[in-house]
Amino acid sequence: MATLLSVKDLQTRFYTQEGVVRAVNGINYDLGEGETIGIVGESGCGKSVSVLSMMRLIPSPPGKITGGEVLFEGRDLLKMDGEEIRHVRGNRIAMIFQDPMTSLNPVLTIGRQVSEALEVHLGMDKTQSRKRSIELLDMVGIPLADQRIRDYPHQFSGGMRQRVMIAMALSCNPQILIADEPTTALDVTIQAQIIDLVKRLRQEIGMAVIWITHDLGVVAGLVDRVNVMYAGFIVESGPVHSIYTTPRHPYTIGLLGSLPRLDESTHTKLKSIEGLPPDLVASLSGCPFAPRCDYAVDRCLQENPGLEGVGLDQQAACWNLEATKGYRWVR
């Protein structure tokens, strides 16, 4: 599988009155053609900031990308000028933003918002873009698309707005689709429909997908690989089967332990990860997860571990990997 996108040592900081927020701390991963990867972790761990940095959408000030490379087909997105990156955004790399309720312009019709990218990137005229917009809305499952194209966002439900966002993202047949928690604020039935829709469209179009979520249950049947993030670091990475079967980082184990299981008694108590995430303004000397970790040793409080191979194409950043060696989540 050819590498389509390569993220190398990406670092992002926010310069605030309280101090420097170390939001993304040198993450590395590759995305192959047609591959789907998941980026998971709790709120504030740097998932969204990492992809917004890739797309050069970090507000500056206060944000600044302070290091790293994001190579797309051999070219560094972080070094492109404004015109070059605008040609990539929405055209070759598209993004579904987190909140469909606020991501659409309330004073423009749905048709106008879907057709804009077609006119800007593909040079279509009004007639061509209108026809293609109807096709896209129909493709994502919006009924009576030829009529609803004249409606405004407030006339759509949350699930339908998210479908419009997907239609906008797919309008130029991108090579990479970034989905930033696209099922947040939707009920579970609509969530399942959106996930099935993205899976079907991925197979039809052949695009690669980066799916960002805090819910490990969502990515289980969707992605090929998983990157687990904590405090701006990738703490575990590997094929989805390995992560769910034999997680090795204590944070991954904690996330999986908080999921309800169908193969256990309904009286089984869900586990929780005690404590709070670290303050990203404060200087971190050891492993950021150490104060909340059941497996921590003295070294964890002094040095931050790097990713280490723990299996076939699986890596984890932990000084006490021997303690988690026999753990199995899927039995």
Side-chain angles (χ1 to χ4, degrees), residues 172-183:
C172 297
N173 292 323
Q175 292 165 276
I176 300 174
L177 175 67
I178 300 172
D180 185 8
E181 302 215 37
T183 57

Side-chain angles (χ1 to χ4, degrees), residues 242-276:
S242 299
I243 295 294
Y244 281 79
T245 305
T246 55
R248 296 296 303 278
H249 194 279
Y251 179 59
T252 312
I253 293 172
L255 288 178
L256 288 168
S258 67
L259 292 178
R261 300 178 58 126
L262 295 177
D263 60 347
E264 291 185 347
S265 166
T266 55
H267 300 291
T268 301
K269 186 177 179 180
L270 295 179
K271 298 178 182 178
S272 63
I273 302 174
E274 299 297 329
L276 297 171

Side-chain angles (χ1 to χ4, degrees), residues 46-185:
K47 307 184 301 296
S48 297
V49 172
S50 68
V51 294
L52 289 172
S53 300
M54 269 172 34
M55 298 285 280
R56 301 264 298 278
L57 291 173
I58 292 292
S60 179
K64 184 179 181 181
I65 301 166
T66 57
E69 296 179 321
V70 180
L71 301 178
F72 174 59
E73 296 185 323
R75 296 192 62 199
D76 189 356
L77 296 178
L78 304 184
K79 293 182 179 177
M80 290 183 176
D81 61 33
E83 186 62 32
E84 288 177 313
I85 194 66
R86 278 192 293 272
H87 178 71
V88 172
R89 280 197 305 248
N91 182 18
R92 304 177 72 189
I93 303 177
M95 189 164 178
I96 306 170
F97 292 94
Q98 190 168 127
D99 188 359
M101 309 300 179
T102 58
S103 298
L104 294 168
N105 191 323
V107 300
L108 295 179
T109 65
I110 292 299
R112 179 69 198 120
Q113 296 186 63
V114 176
S115 64
E116 183 178 12
L118 298 168
E119 295 170 14
V120 171
H121 293 300
L122 302 183
M124 291 185 179
D125 59 30
K126 299 287 186 184
T127 303
Q128 292 171 325
S129 64
R130 184 181 186 280
K131 180 181 178 182
R132 178 58 179 158
S133 296
I134 293 171
E135 292 174 354
L136 287 164
L137 292 177
D138 185 64
M139 181 175 70
V140 298
I142 294 181
L144 304 174
D146 57 332
Q147 299 175 32
R148 304 229 58 190
I149 200 172
R150 297 188 291 271
D151 289 344
Y152 289 85
H154 72 271
Q155 295 172 276
F156 286 73
S157 67
M160 285 294 144
R161 289 188 215 188
Q162 196 59 283
R163 289 173 185 268
V164 171
M165 294 289 294
I166 294 171
M168 292 170 63
L170 298 180
S171 59
C172 297
N173 292 323
Q175 292 165 276
I176 300 174
L177 175 67
I178 300 172
D180 185 8
E181 302 215 37
T183 57
T184 298

